[in-house]
Amino acid sequence: MLADAATNSRGTDSGGTRSGGTVKATPQATAQTAAHIAGTEFAVVVAVPAAMPVALLLPVAPLLPVTPAGFAARCTRALLSPWSRLSLLLVLLAGAASTVLLFHPQRLLSDGWPPQLGGAMAALVFAAAYGLCSVAFVPRPLLNLAAGALFGSQLGTGAALAGTVLGAGISFGLGRVLGQDALRPLLRGRWLKAADGQLSRHGFRSMLAARLFPGLPFWGVNYCAAVSRMRWTPFLLATALGSIPNTAAYVVAGARASSPTSPAFLIAMACIALPALGGAVVAWRKRHHLRAQ
């Protein structure tokens, strides 16, 4: 349509001129072109001077409005931020610990297991409860003693080891998903960096030593490993192997607690006391060595 208007303007003899290759429209042709463009979808209503070039009358596309990010998107980013996830982890752990304090799982030692459960099914249910209780900071020695008192030495050891691996896996997963992004930037101290590097580079060996060494809190080791770059397989495998001696000793002690003078009970107590004593000596020497530095 602009080409027709330009042709009409060039074809008129009453005012159309040509200078330097620029075509100027006559007032009549300009008015016709403006009226024709006004009927289009993207028309812009302006006052058209008589001497305005036809090229300036091209349609102008409208500008799309810039919409700000929605409230839901901002809330989603805030909820998925590292510190929000760490806060959720702390709330979950506090709720789990409060639940344990209210329900008193140590009653298993005095009241026994529900009578409707027995055999392997009871051991599986106990292993699941063991894992959840260990995440909620229930001491593992108490749970191991309960396993021995309820199921005996062999089945109790299997149930306790299964619950140990389950609880360690839950703690590791929670720490990895909810706490790692927020806590890793805080590893700035020399000892923290050294521990993180040891766990990240030598995951299986470091975790095996941590499980065999008595006195280290179970939940603390789990969350330290979760903050590091240790992989799942070395963590779970080292936890299963390293927890066998200590777990078996406590389970046997719980199973033979009714006869404290029996050889099995005395051997179990020796397996508990001697590693604990050796761990205390090693910790004392390391503490003295660090002070000397």
Side-chain angles (χ1 to χ4, degrees):
M1 65 184 68
L2 293 179
D4 295 340
T7 304
N8 292 334
S9 65
R10 287 196 299 270
T12 58
D13 295 331
S14 60
T17 60
R18 184 176 297 173
S19 175
T22 303
V23 178
K24 293 185 178 180
T26 61
Q28 293 83 1
T30 305
Q32 292 176 1
T33 304
H36 192 68
I37 294 175
T40 62
E41 184 179 357
F42 300 102
V44 180
V45 179
V46 294
V48 182
M52 178 176 290
V54 179
L56 297 179
L57 298 177
L58 294 174
V60 180
L63 296 177
L64 297 177
V66 180
T67 57
F71 178 74
R74 292 196 297 269
C75 290
T76 301
R77 287 196 300 269
L79 291 176
L80 295 179
S81 64
W83 288 104
S84 297
R85 285 181 287 164
L86 180 61
S87 301
L88 177 60
L89 175 61
L90 296 178
V91 170
L92 290 176
L93 294 179
S98 301
T99 303
V100 167
L101 292 177
L102 291 175
F103 286 96
H104 302 290
Q106 62 271 18
R107 291 177 181 175
L108 290 174
L109 292 175
S110 57
D111 300 341
W113 196 249
Q116 61 269 22
L117 293 177
M121 181 58 66
L124 290 176
V125 175
F126 179 84
Y130 186 113
L132 295 177
C133 289
S134 64
V135 175
F137 310 111
V138 176
R140 286 184 61 250
L142 179 64
L143 296 173
N144 293 331
L145 291 172
L150 294 173
F151 304 107
S153 300
Q154 296 180 356
L155 188 59
T157 301
L161 284 176
T164 297
V165 176
L166 176 63
I170 294 175
S171 300
F172 187 83
L174 289 175
R176 178 61 56 89
V177 174
L178 299 179
Q180 186 186 45
D181 293 339
L183 295 178
R184 280 202 66 81
L186 303 179
L187 301 177
R188 298 176 181 176
R190 182 162 59 97
W191 297 110
L192 292 177
K193 288 184 178 180
D196 175 66
Q198 185 71 19
L199 290 173
S200 300
R201 291 190 300 269
H202 309 288
F204 178 81
R205 185 175 64 189
S206 301
M207 186 53 54
L208 185 64
R211 297 307 187 192
L212 291 173
F213 190 83
L216 294 179
F218 180 73
W219 60 270
V221 174
N222 294 335
Y223 290 112
C224 287
V227 174
S228 70
R229 301 191 185 278
M230 182 184 298
R231 294 177 298 172
W232 279 87
T233 302
F235 173 78
L236 294 178
L237 185 58
T239 297
L241 294 178
S243 300
I244 291 176
N246 183 267
T247 301
Y250 275 100
V251 171
V252 172
R256 301 301 178 92
S258 58
S259 55
T261 58
S262 62
F265 181 82
L266 295 177
I267 292 174
M269 294 304 298
C271 292
I272 294 173
L274 291 179
L277 180 61
V281 172
V282 172
W284 178 262
R285 294 184 61 181
K286 291 291 183 181
R287 177 173 174 268
H288 180 73
H289 179 67
L290 291 175
R291 284 188 172 182
Q293 288 182 348

